[in-house]
């Protein structure tokens, strides 16, 4: 292969040498390809342009300091110079930030002398704010009171709401200088905490700073500010709410007993004061302020029960809100089971004047009453005895001015028991005048009962001049008020004139199972929700009320043609609370602008459902669909073809309804989409549902229509004997079909019973297997425990043997070293012995060479030299000198 390549290359070079123009063309082509590749690759590389530098978000003349480079450390430094500061974190591209910019600037122009406004660009990637803050939405508003904060504002991003919240942070405590101010503070629908502090001894009394910090903690945790904090400095005003010790705190509640902060049980800290106020507060009206994004705000409130949603235009900067005051009064009356005057601030019962507060509290002024209808005298009698039973308190017990004795269920029940024992005194008396009697109670020496009765006709009960006169109240309802006259203590058998109470919303929350919770929404911000509930989009006055009960799937709206006032709201609540409510369920309906006659498929709404679908002269095929249903959209061409085929038929209508935008009565609702219903002519009560198991195609729809498309049956007057016989045969065939159907159902029931028995046996077997497996599991667990114990013992034994082996190895190593030393010494000894033997042989050879006397002398001399030889050997042994031994010798010795 390489050889062929080389030959082709040689041929190419040969051709180029033979034809030079070919070589030049190849070179030019190569250069062109290189240039093209260079430009192409250079365009393919990523080109990253640096972002443009940020610019000012607020104008230079604005009172808002704009740190558009994200200088967070500078913001922290300058905010310490002001007592109250507002930090506005924004992103220049955020539409919400751009919309809020003008609102912040408007508030800053009004409060710049008292509050420091700082705007920080928290999107610039080189700024400290972007690196240190991890905001998931913009804008973010933080407020600081000196070093306390941040207090995040999460309310509506309008100038009025922002200004109110900033002023709450500036002045978190409300100063109460007089009894009138105390009354106004207690009458507010929001719960209030009052602290009593004396500033005579020191400018900052003990506990005041903690109370002040608790108010700031409340704003930090609850941006709506539903708990208000007030301060009393006058001892006489503080005594009105049972505050006698300086530093004590009082939580006012409209319906339950008001509380004093328990210093002996809870540590006095700002956090504990805030928790105590939040956990024990009573909320009459709930403000709902959706932020405009996806949330579960409405879901969490609607799932609790029936809700009264009231939309009203609200300006938080206005001090006087007459409509809100009326709604507050209705809510207080609705939730009040005892008719304490502290729950009112307008209307029939005017507030107590300072003179009234100063004088002794009047007794026997607010009796606890209940209306009782005694049984009729005879079964055919048209009369009833109506009695008003009241519990009156005797002199000697002084109730609180702000916490009046409650009318409890047990007290009223005891009064009714005592009254029914004396029922014969009132039931048999027929009189048109009022007869009153007093009788003592069984349980309390300080109270007595008053019963005033009158005989009334059945036709007059509950109706007088077109209004309801007698209210059938339940136990525990207190009927006090300036507009109603009650039965006083009777002395000497006097008979005062009786005025039966008008029906009102007093205590409806305690007298009915249809309990409502009151929720308010600002119609200036959230009118779209009211339109979705049924309000008119073009209404000039944005006042609207609706009752929504998700569990019962009902929705009622108040008539928008009526003026939104306290009486109309009370009537709306009363009509809902009645056992047989006259209110009609409101059905949300969409608006169809096109003419129905010009369409092949009629668009049905809630308002046109009865006129189109329930038209007795038309056969109607109705499709239930929704925009979120993908299958419904795929069926559009099928229904268009069907409508074209049936268009010549004048008595046939193909229609559809969007269930997401239209509510229907329960009998016409469906549970899956798409659903097709056929309403035959003259037989609307015999509507038929298209089978779910069949495919929705044009042939199947035509078969379904033809199967149920029949002429209406003839009337009895036009039916002859043959018709009657045919009808009888038809009825007989239907009866036989029903009997067959019943027999088939019996067989199916029998089969189901058998299947149930088999299932029971299988379940029993499964339970037995489960029990056996459980026993085996326990046995295996025991064996596993034994194996685990044995494993631990073997592990310990292994570690012990391993340790012994290590010690033995150390000893063997020591023995090996000793044996090696002995071998070396043994080798040296052998060498020494060999050298000694050679010397001895040498001396013997010398003796043999010198015989006779000389030899004798020499032998003696040798004898004398022998000890020296032995000493040398011993010295060599004790002090061995290094000996050069040939390697072969050592290897032979070792072997």
């Amino acid at each position: 292969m390489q050889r062929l390549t080389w030959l082709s290359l040689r041929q190419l070079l040969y051709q180029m040498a033979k034809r030079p123009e070919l070589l030049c063309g190849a070179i030019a082509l190569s250069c062109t390809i290189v240039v093209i590749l260079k430009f192409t690759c250079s365009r393919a590389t990523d080109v990253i342009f640096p972002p443009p530098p940020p610019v000012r978000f607020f104008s230079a003349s604005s009172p808002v300091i704009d740190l558009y480079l994200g200088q967070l450390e500078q913001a922290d430094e300058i905010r310490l110079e002001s007592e109250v500061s507002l930090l506005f974190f924004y992103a220049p591209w955020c539409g919400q930030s751009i919309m809020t910019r003008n609102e912040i600037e408007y508030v800053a122009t009004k409060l710049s002398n008292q509050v420091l406004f700082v705007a920080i660009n928290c999107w610039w990637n080189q700024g400290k704010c972007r690196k240190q803050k991890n905001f998931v939405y913009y804008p973010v508003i933080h407020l600081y009171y000196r070093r306390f904060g941040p207090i995040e504002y999460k309310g509506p991003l309008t100038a009025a709401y922002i200004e109110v919240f900033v002023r709450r942070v500036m002045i978190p405590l409300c100063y109460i200088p007089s009894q009138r101010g105390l009354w106004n503070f207690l009458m507010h629908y929001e719960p209030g905490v009052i602290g009593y502090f004396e500033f005579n001894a020191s400018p900052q009394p003990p506990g005041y700073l903690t109370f002040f910090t608790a108010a700031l903690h409340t704003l930090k945790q609850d941006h709506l500010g539903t708990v208000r904090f007030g301060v009393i400095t006058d001892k006489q005003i503080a005594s009105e709410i049972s505050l006698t010790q300086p530093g004590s705190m009082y939580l006012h509640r409209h319906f339950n007993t008001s509380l004093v902060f328990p210093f002996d049980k809870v540590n006095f800290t700002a956090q504990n004061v805030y928790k105590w106020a939040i956990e024990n507060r009573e909320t009459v009206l709930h403000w709902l302020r959706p932020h405009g994004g996806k949330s579960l705000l409405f879901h969490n409130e609607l799932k609790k029960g029936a809700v009264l949603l009231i939309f009203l235009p609200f300006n938080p900067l206005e001090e006087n809100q007459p409509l809100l005051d009326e709604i507050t009064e209705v809510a207080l009356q609705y939730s009040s089971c005892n008719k304490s005057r502290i729950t009112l601030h307008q209307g029939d019962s005017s507030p107590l004047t300072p003179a009234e507060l100063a004088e002794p509290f009047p007794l026997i002024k607010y009796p606890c009453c209940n209306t009782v209808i005694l049984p009729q005298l005879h079964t055919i009698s048209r009369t009833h005895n109506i009695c008003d039973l009241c519990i009156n308190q005797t002199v000697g017990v002084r109730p609180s001015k702000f916490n009046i004795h409650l009318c409890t269920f047990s007290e009223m029940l005891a009064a009714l028991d005592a009254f029914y024992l004396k029922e014969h005194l009132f039931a048999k008396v027929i009189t048109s005048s009022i007869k009153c009697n007093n009788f003592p109670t069984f349980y309390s020496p300080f109270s007595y009962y008053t019963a005033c009765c009158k005989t009334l006709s059945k036709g007059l009960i509950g109706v007088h001049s077109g209004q309801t006169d007698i209210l059938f109240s339940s136990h525990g309802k207190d009927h006090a008020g300036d507009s109603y006259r009650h039965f006083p203590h009777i002395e000497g058998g006097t008979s005062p004139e009786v005025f039966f109470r008008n029906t009102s919303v007093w205590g409806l929350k305690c007298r009915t199972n249809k309990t409502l919770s009151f929720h308010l929404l600002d119609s200036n911000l959230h009118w779209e929700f009211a339109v979705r509930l049924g309000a008119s989009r073009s209404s000039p006055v944005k006042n609207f009320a609706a009752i929504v009960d998700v569990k019962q799937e009902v929705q009622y709206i108040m008539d928008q043609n009526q003026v939104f006032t306290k009486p109309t709201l009370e009537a709306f609540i009363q009509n809902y609370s009645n056992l047989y409510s006259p209110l009609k369920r409101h059905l949300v309906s969409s608006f169809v602008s096109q003419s129905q006659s010009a369409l092949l498929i009629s668009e049905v709404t809630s308002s046109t459902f009865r006129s189109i679908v329930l038209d007795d002269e038309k056969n109607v095929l109705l499709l239930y669909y929704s925009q979120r249903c993908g299958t419904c959209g795929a069926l559009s061409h099928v229904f268009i073809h069907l409508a074209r085929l049936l268009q010549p038929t004048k008595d046939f209508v193909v229609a559809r309804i969007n269930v997401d935008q239209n509510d229907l009565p329960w009998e016409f609702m469906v549970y899956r989409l798409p659903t097709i219903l056929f309403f035959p002519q003259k037989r609307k009560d015999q509507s038929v549902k298209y089978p779910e198991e069949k495919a929705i195609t044009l042939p199947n729809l035509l078969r379904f229509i033809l199967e149920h498309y029949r002429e209406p049956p003839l009337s009895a007057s036009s039916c002859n004997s043959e018709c009657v016989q045919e009808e009888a045969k038809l009825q007989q065939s239907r009866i036989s079909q029903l009997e067959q159907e019943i027999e088939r159902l019996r067989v199916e029931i029998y089969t189901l019973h058998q299947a149930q028995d088999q299932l029971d046996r299988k379940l029993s077997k499964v339970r037995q297997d489960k029990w056996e497996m459980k026993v085996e599991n326990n046995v295996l667990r025991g064996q596993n425990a034994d194996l685990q114990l044995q494993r631990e013992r073997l592990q310990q034994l292994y570690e012990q043997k391993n340790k012994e082996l290590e010690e033995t190895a150390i000893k063997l190593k020591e023995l090996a070293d000793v044996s090696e030393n002995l071998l070396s010494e043994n080798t040296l000894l052998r060498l020494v012995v060999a050298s000694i033997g050679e010397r001895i042989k040498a001396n013997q050879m010398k003796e043999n060479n010198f015989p006779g006397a000389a030899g004798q002398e020499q032998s003696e001399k040798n004898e004398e030299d022998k000890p020296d030889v032995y000493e040398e050997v011993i010295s060599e042994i004790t002090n061995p000198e290094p000996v050069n031994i040939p390697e072969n010798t050592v290897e032979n010795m070792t072997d």
Side-chain angles (χ1 to χ4, degrees):
M1 185 67 182
Q2 293 179 356
R3 186 176 179 181
L4 292 174
T5 305
W6 173 250
L7 290 175
S8 61
L9 184 60
R10 286 184 63 184
Q11 291 177 359
L12 180 62
L13 293 175
Y14 176 75
Q15 292 291 335
M16 285 183 178
K18 190 175 180 180
R19 299 179 62 182
E21 65 276 8
L22 185 61
L23 177 62
C24 295
I27 294 172
L29 181 61
S30 301
C31 294
T32 305
I33 292 173
V34 170
V35 171
I36 292 173
L37 291 175
K38 182 179 180 180
F39 277 99
T40 305
C41 295
S42 63
R43 291 180 181 178
T45 55
D46 295 334
V47 179
I48 300 176
F49 292 98
V55 296
R56 294 185 63 89
F57 194 67
F58 289 84
S59 63
S61 60
S62 174
V64 181
I65 301 174
D66 190 2
L67 302 178
Y68 59 92
L69 296 178
Q71 306 99 309
L72 187 61
E73 67 281 356
Q74 184 178 353
D76 292 336
E77 292 176 1
I78 62 177
R79 72 173 176 82
L80 298 177
E81 300 175 358
S82 177
E83 185 175 22
V84 179
S85 56
L86 183 146
L87 302 185
F88 177 69
F89 300 95
Y90 67 89
W93 54 264
C94 175
Q96 197 70 31
S97 300
I98 296 172
M99 293 174 60
T100 313
R101 173 175 54 187
N102 296 332
E103 308 293 331
I104 293 292
E105 194 165 6
Y106 178 78
V107 177
T109 55
K110 298 177 65 175
L111 303 177
S112 58
N113 296 331
Q114 301 170 329
V115 181
L116 176 66
F117 289 83
V118 181
I120 306 170
N121 183 358
C122 216
W123 188 255
W124 176 241
N125 57 354
Q126 299 179 12
K128 290 283 187 180
C129 184
R130 178 68 181 275
K131 297 177 181 178
Q132 296 182 12
K133 301 291 185 180
N134 297 319
F135 296 128
V136 296
Y137 59 89
Y138 291 98
V140 177
I141 300 176
H142 285 174
L143 285 100
Y144 291 85
Y145 187 92
R146 296 180 181 176
R147 295 185 178 275
F148 183 88
I151 304 173
E152 184 175 357
Y153 173 71
K154 298 180 180 179
L157 297 176
T158 59
Y161 282 94
I162 296 174
E163 181 181 350
V164 168
F165 189 79
V166 173
R167 292 185 182 276
R168 287 287 295 269
V169 176
M170 292 168 54
I171 309 175
L173 300 180
C174 176
Y175 175 62
I176 303 175
S178 61
Q179 291 179 337
R180 174 67 63 179
L182 174 62
W183 179 268
N184 294 333
F185 186 87
L186 297 179
M187 288 305 94
H188 203 271
Y189 64 89
E190 293 178 345
V193 180
I194 302 176
Y196 168 48
F197 300 96
E198 291 184 350
F199 289 84
N200 299 327
S202 64
Q204 187 172 324
Y208 177 77
L209 183 60
T210 302
F211 188 71
F212 188 90
T213 309
L216 292 176
H217 268 291
T218 304
L219 292 175
K220 184 177 182 180
Q221 301 297 331
D222 184 8
H223 69 279
L224 298 177
T226 55
V227 179
R228 298 171 302 114
F229 285 75
V231 174
I232 296 177
T233 58
D234 188 276
K235 185 177 182 180
Q236 182 179 0
I237 300 176
S239 62
E240 300 293 341
I241 53 175
S242 304
L243 294 181
T244 57
Q245 296 297 327
S248 56
M249 286 169 291
Y250 170 87
L251 174 62
H252 176 69
R253 301 195 294 185
H254 294 284
F255 313 120
N256 295 309
T257 305
S258 300
L259 303 176
V260 178
F261 186 79
F263 290 91
D264 54 341
K265 297 180 180 179
V266 183
N267 293 331
F268 181 56
T269 61
Q271 197 72 19
N272 288 340
V273 172
Y274 156 72
K275 291 181 179 178
W276 171 72
I278 292 296
E279 293 174 357
N280 297 283
R281 65 180 174 178
E282 284 181 345
T283 306
V284 180
L285 297 176
H286 304 264
W287 276 99
L288 298 180
R289 295 192 175 101
H291 53 75
K294 291 183 178 180
S295 69
L296 298 176
L297 178 64
F298 280 98
H299 172 74
N300 294 334
E301 297 299 331
L302 293 177
K303 71 180 183 180
K304 297 177 183 178
V307 174
L308 174 61
L309 299 175
I310 302 175
F311 295 82
L312 72 158
F314 179 71
N315 186 0
L317 294 176
E318 291 184 4
E319 295 183 0
N320 297 324
Q321 303 272 356
L323 183 58
L324 180 60
D325 294 339
E326 291 183 357
I327 295 172
T328 303
E329 184 177 352
V330 172
L332 291 173
Q333 292 177 359
Y334 177 82
S335 303
S336 177
C337 295
N338 61 88
K339 204 166 187 180
S340 170
R341 286 186 64 186
I342 194 64
T343 61
L344 291 178
H345 61 286
Q346 284 186 356
D348 296 337
S349 180
S350 59
L352 296 177
T353 62
E356 290 175 334
L357 287 171
E359 68 183 4
F361 195 80
L363 300 181
I364 322 175
K365 194 172 183 180
Y366 307 107
C368 182
C369 301
N370 196 79
T371 302
V372 181
I373 301 179
L374 297 180
Q376 57 191 18
L377 301 179
H378 305 286
T379 56
I380 59 174
S381 176
R382 299 287 298 172
T383 59
H384 276 288
N385 278 358
I386 308 298
C387 298
D388 221 359
L389 178 65
C390 298
I391 302 175
N392 298 290
Q393 192 177 32
T394 59
V395 179
V397 180
R398 184 180 187 276
S400 172
K401 297 178 182 179
F402 291 95
N403 290 297
I404 301 175
H405 174 71
L406 303 181
C407 180
T408 62
F409 175 81
S410 58
E411 290 180 347
M412 182 53 65
L413 188 62
L416 290 173
D417 291 340
F419 174 75
Y420 284 129
L421 291 176
K422 302 179 180 294
E423 179 183 342
H424 60 280
L425 300 176
F426 308 96
K428 297 181 180 179
V429 177
I430 302 177
T431 176
S432 59
S433 61
I434 304 298
K435 298 294 183 181
C436 297
N437 288 293
N438 297 330
F439 49 95
T441 68
F442 296 138
Y443 305 104
S444 175
F446 300 106
S447 60
Y448 59 92
Y449 302 145
T450 298
C452 297
C453 301
K454 181 179 180 181
T455 304
L456 294 178
S457 174
K458 275 186 179 182
L460 298 177
I461 295 177
V463 179
H464 180 67
S465 300
Q467 296 181 356
T468 304
D469 293 333
I470 297 179
L471 176 66
F472 301 98
S473 59
S474 63
H475 305 318
K477 180 178 182 301
D478 187 6
H479 308 295
D482 296 342
S483 61
Y484 308 131
R485 296 182 57 181
H486 296 274
F487 304 108
H489 176 57
I490 307 302
E491 298 291 348
T494 59
S495 302
E497 184 180 358
V498 176
F499 291 89
F500 290 99
R501 297 179 305 280
N502 293 327
T503 303
S504 66
V505 297
W506 274 107
L508 273 180
K509 185 176 182 179
C510 309
R511 304 192 270 113
T512 178
N513 291 330
K514 296 182 178 181
T515 305
L516 288 173
S517 58
F518 288 69
H519 293 269
L520 302 178
L521 290 96
D522 189 354
S523 58
N524 294 327
L525 301 176
H526 312 296
W527 187 246
E528 288 296 328
F529 293 99
V531 173
R532 185 66 182 90
L533 290 172
S536 174
R537 189 181 296 272
S538 59
S539 176
V541 181
K542 293 185 177 181
N543 294 327
F544 178 73
I547 296 175
V548 181
D549 191 345
V550 176
K551 293 182 179 179
Q552 300 296 330
E553 297 183 3
V554 293
Q555 174 182 330
Y556 307 105
I557 65 172
M558 193 169 69
D559 188 4
Q560 286 188 276
N561 296 325
Q562 297 179 350
V563 181
F564 195 103
T565 58
K566 177 186 175 184
T568 56
L569 182 60
E570 287 181 343
F572 182 56
I573 297 173
Q574 292 171 15
N575 289 331
Y576 170 77
S577 302
N578 288 338
L579 182 59
Y580 301 102
S581 175
L583 298 178
K584 293 183 179 180
R585 178 192 175 202
H586 175 71
L587 303 177
V588 177
S589 177
S590 60
F591 176 74
V592 180
S593 58
Q594 297 179 353
S595 176
Q596 295 292 323
S597 60
L599 298 176
L600 286 174
I601 301 177
S602 301
E603 191 71 28
V604 180
T605 63
S606 299
S607 57
T608 62
F609 183 84
R610 295 187 178 276
S611 60
I612 296 177
V613 178
L614 301 183
D615 186 0
D616 229 16
E617 302 298 328
K618 298 292 181 67
N619 294 281
V620 181
L621 184 70
L622 182 63
L623 169 67
Y624 291 81
Y625 79 101
S626 171
Q627 298 292 342
R628 55 185 168 82
C629 173
T631 309
C632 302
L635 298 176
S636 299
H637 69 284
V638 177
F639 272 79
I640 291 174
H641 285 306
L642 180 65
R644 286 176 178 173
L645 290 174
L646 299 177
Q647 189 176 10
T649 308
K650 300 300 182 181
D651 62 346
F652 202 98
V653 177
V654 179
R656 65 175 187 172
I657 183 170
N658 189 342
V659 296
D660 285 345
Q661 299 179 3
N662 296 276
D663 293 336
L664 291 177
W666 292 299
E667 60 268 22
F668 298 112
M669 291 300 295
V670 294
Y671 297 97
R672 65 185 299 272
L673 297 177
T675 296
I676 302 173
L677 293 182
F678 179 65
F679 295 85
Q681 180 184 10
K682 301 292 185 181
R683 293 175 291 117
K684 298 298 181 179
D685 57 337
Q686 299 180 14
S687 59
V688 186
K689 179 182 176 183
Y690 185 84
E692 298 178 1
E693 63 275 5
K694 283 188 178 182
I696 303 177
T697 61
L698 185 60
N700 288 342
L701 284 174
L702 290 173
R703 293 191 192 97
F704 172 72
I705 294 172
L706 293 174
E707 181 180 356
H708 301 283
Y709 182 81
R710 296 176 181 174
E711 293 294 333
L714 298 175
S715 60
S717 58
S718 61
C719 189
N720 51 21
S721 59
E722 295 180 357
C723 177
V724 172
Q725 292 178 1
E726 291 179 359
E727 187 67 24
K729 291 180 181 179
L730 181 61
Q731 293 293 339
Q732 189 66 30
S733 63
R734 290 179 180 176
I735 292 172
S736 62
Q737 290 178 0
L738 289 175
E739 290 177 351
Q740 293 176 2
E741 187 70 18
I742 292 172
E743 188 65 27
R744 186 179 62 81
L745 291 175
R746 287 176 180 173
V747 173
E748 290 182 359
I749 292 172
Y750 178 73
T751 306
L752 290 175
H753 281 304
Q754 288 183 341
Q756 184 180 4
D757 295 338
Q758 294 178 0
L759 185 61
D760 292 339
R761 289 193 294 271
K762 290 181 180 179
L763 287 175
S764 62
K765 185 178 180 181
V766 169
R767 292 192 188 98
Q768 185 177 0
D769 294 342
K770 183 179 179 181
W771 174 256
E772 292 177 356
M773 291 176 64
K774 188 175 181 181
V775 173
E776 292 178 359
N777 190 18
N778 294 333
V779 174
L780 291 175
R781 285 182 180 176
Q783 293 177 357
N784 187 21
D786 296 338
L787 292 174
Q788 190 71 16
L789 182 61
Q790 188 175 359
R791 179 178 176 276
E792 293 176 356
R793 291 177 181 175
L794 290 175
Q795 185 70 19
Q796 294 176 358
L797 182 61
Y798 168 75
E799 293 176 355
Q800 182 179 359
K801 294 297 182 182
N802 192 17
K803 187 175 180 181
E804 292 178 357
L805 287 174
E806 290 178 355
E807 294 176 355
T808 305
I810 293 172
K811 291 180 180 180
L812 289 175
K813 186 176 181 181
E814 293 176 353
L815 290 175
D817 295 340
V818 172
S819 62
E820 186 177 355
N821 294 334
L822 291 176
L823 286 174
S824 60
E825 291 177 359
N826 189 15
T827 305
L828 293 174
L829 286 175
R830 288 183 181 179
L831 294 175
V832 170
V833 171
S835 62
I836 291 173
E838 290 179 357
R839 289 185 181 181
I840 292 173
K841 288 181 181 180
N843 290 334
Q844 288 178 358
M845 289 176 65
K846 290 180 181 179
E847 289 178 359
N848 293 333
N849 294 331
F850 300 98
Q856 186 176 0
E857 293 177 359
Q858 186 67 29
S859 62
E860 291 176 358
K861 188 178 180 180
N862 291 336
E863 291 292 334
E864 293 175 358
D865 293 339
K866 283 182 180 180
D868 296 335
V869 173
Y870 289 116
E871 291 176 0
E872 291 177 1
V873 172
I874 293 170
S875 63
E876 290 177 358
I877 294 171
T878 56
N879 300 313
E881 296 179 356
V883 181
N884 295 326
I885 304 172
E887 294 180 0
N888 296 332
T889 307
V890 175
E891 290 177 359
N892 294 332
M893 293 176 64
T894 304
D895 295 337

